[in-house]
Amino acid sequence: MMNAQNRSAGRIGSLTQLQWLAVALVVVTGVLHVYAGIVEGRIPVALAGVGYAGTLVLFFFDYRRRLLYLTGIPYTAVQFPLWIVAK
């Protein structure tokens, strides 16, 4: 069990600056989604924010990062036009 913890901590410490920037942007985006979903009473928007948090957990556990990149980038890119249309 201790080896798994050490490996996980080692991976987190080895993140690049670009990865840390992405983490910060995901945190901001997730918090904004949860806040907007609660304030506007739109449950799907709040759940999208929770999804961002879940993705961060998977990312920090190094669970299929390549798949997270391949699905997360298009998912986030789709959020922008949907937000513009919804407003």
Side-chain angles (χ1 to χ4, degrees):
M1 183 70 171
M2 192 61 151
N3 285 337
Q5 289 175 344
N6 288 340
R7 281 191 308 235
S8 179
R11 284 189 297 264
I12 290 172
S14 66
L15 294 179
T16 66
Q17 287 182 335
L18 183 60
Q19 287 172 317
W20 280 114
L21 175 63
V23 166
L25 291 173
V26 168
V27 168
V28 169
T29 302
V31 168
L32 289 175
H33 272 81
V34 170
Y35 176 77
I38 291 171
V39 168
E40 296 176 7
R42 295 183 179 177
I43 300 302
V45 175
L47 288 176
V50 173
Y52 282 111
T55 300
L56 278 180
V57 170
L58 294 174
F59 178 80
F60 281 125
F61 279 108
D62 199 18
Y63 182 79
R64 295 185 166 184
R65 280 190 184 168
R66 187 179 281 279
L67 182 61
L68 291 176
Y69 297 146
L70 290 173
T71 57
I73 291 169
Y75 176 80
T76 303
V78 167
Q79 296 287 316
F80 288 108
L82 287 177
W83 180 74
I84 291 169
V85 170
K87 289 287 179 177

